[in-house]
């Protein structure tokens, strides 16, 4: 079943690379955004909340088209990055990582935000009365408490990135060896006569990776939960 061809191995490795980069780059923004949504009390927070969760309600193809308009070579942001920094997203694996990060971001923020909401504020206040600065309180008190939520958000975002199809194929197309991830490779194989066996192998790999990630996250979340307790 798992006698994979070089092309299939390339698609798997590219999916892992894209998903890991998507999670790593979006994690600091996810923690910051979740903290603001949980603790923020300012005009316009409802708009920010809606923008964060918008990718969950939009069709993925629409999200991919918006990314193409903004980050394409002729896009508002894409042309600036290309001209001044030589950074190109459209039809590159970096664009696939960006699309996966955008699609997984709401799930990451939601999991972390719920953890922030559950923090006992009296613990933070006690640390503050002992002379700790707000930054130090966040790093030594708040963040360790919300670590299980952060881990849950990371795994949810990673799983979403591994399964992302619509936004990715719209923004960066389906170029073998460059932007062809597991879902797009499976889609391609289903359109080719005799490609069912290879598609079935990749489906098996995708399920195995997702199950491993979920089981590992549950185990690590329980260990972190016991340490925090």
């Amino acid at each position: 079943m798992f006698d994979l061809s070089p092309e299939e191995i390339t698609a798997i490795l590219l999916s892992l690379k894209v998903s890991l980069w998507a999670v790593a780059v979006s994690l600091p923004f996810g923690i910051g955004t979740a903290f603001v949504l949980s603790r923020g009390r300012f005009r316009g927070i409802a708009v920010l909340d809606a923008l964060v969760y918008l990718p969950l309600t939009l069709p993925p193809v629409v999200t991919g088209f918006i990314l193409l308009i903004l980050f394409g070579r002729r896009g508002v942001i894409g042309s600036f990055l290309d001209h001044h920094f030589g950074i190109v997203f459209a039809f590159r694996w970096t664009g696939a990582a960006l699309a996966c990060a955008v699609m997984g971001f709401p799930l990451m923020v939601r999991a972390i935000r719920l953890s922030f909401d559950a923090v006992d504020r009296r613990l933070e206040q006690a640390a503050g009365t002992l002379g700790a600065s707000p930054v130090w309180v966040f790093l030594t008190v708040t963040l360790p408490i919300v670590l299980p939520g952060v881990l849950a958000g990371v795994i949810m975002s990673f799983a979403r990135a591994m399964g992302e199809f619509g936004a990715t194929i719209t923004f960066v197309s389906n170029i073998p060896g460059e932007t062809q991830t597991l879902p797009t490779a499976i889609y391609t194989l289903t359109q080719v006569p005799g490609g069912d066996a290879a598609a079935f192998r990749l489906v098996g790999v995708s399920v195995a990776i997702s199950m491993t990630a979920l089981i590992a996250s549950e185990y690590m979340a329980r260990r972190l939960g016991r340490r925090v307790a």
Side-chain angles (χ1 to χ4, degrees):
M1 174 180 174
F2 292 103
D3 186 15
L4 301 170
S5 68
E7 292 78 13
E8 293 164 9
I9 293 174
T10 299
I12 294 169
L13 294 178
L14 182 60
S15 281
L16 292 171
K17 177 182 177 180
V18 164
S19 300
L20 290 173
W21 271 101
V23 172
V25 172
S26 62
L27 181 57
F29 299 98
I31 294 175
T33 303
F35 184 80
V36 170
L37 291 177
S38 176
R39 304 293 177 83
R41 299 291 183 271
F42 57 89
R43 184 175 300 176
I45 192 170
V47 176
L48 175 62
D49 186 75
L51 287 175
V52 169
Y53 296 116
L54 189 60
L56 288 180
T57 58
L58 285 176
V61 173
V62 174
T63 302
F65 181 73
I66 293 173
L67 288 174
L68 187 60
I69 295 298
L70 293 177
F71 291 94
R73 283 184 176 272
R74 298 182 180 179
V76 178
I77 302 174
S79 60
F80 174 81
L81 293 175
D82 185 18
H83 180 72
H84 293 281
F85 302 100
I87 299 175
V88 178
F89 287 105
F91 308 108
R92 303 282 180 86
W93 75 266
T94 50
L98 176 61
C100 290
V102 170
M103 296 302 297
F105 192 71
L107 299 176
M108 176 187 289
V109 170
R110 178 165 178 78
I112 301 175
R113 178 184 181 179
L114 291 175
S115 292
F116 277 123
D117 290 342
V119 172
D120 189 346
R121 301 291 295 275
R122 292 174 297 180
L123 296 175
E124 299 172 324
Q125 294 169 358
T129 58
L130 294 175
S133 67
V135 175
W136 190 246
V137 170
F138 178 81
L139 293 176
T140 60
V141 178
T142 309
L143 193 57
I145 294 175
V146 302
L147 273 180
V150 172
L151 179 61
V154 165
I155 297 301
M156 292 292 289
S157 179
F158 175 80
R160 183 67 182 84
M162 286 293 296
E164 171 50 37
F165 174 79
T168 301
I169 200 170
T170 304
F171 183 35
V172 297
S173 190
N174 184 18
I175 307 171
E178 179 65 33
T179 65
Q180 189 177 75
T181 57
L182 262 176
T184 55
I186 293 171
Y187 171 77
T188 300
L189 289 170
T190 61
Q191 309 302 308
V192 176
D196 292 347
F200 184 71
R201 288 196 296 268
L202 291 183
V203 167
V205 171
S206 181
V207 171
I209 292 175
S210 298
M211 286 296 295
T212 301
L214 291 172
I215 292 172
S217 69
E218 180 67 20
Y219 172 75
M220 293 176 66
R222 289 186 178 183
R223 291 198 60 182
L224 286 172
R226 286 197 294 266
R227 287 187 178 184
V228 171

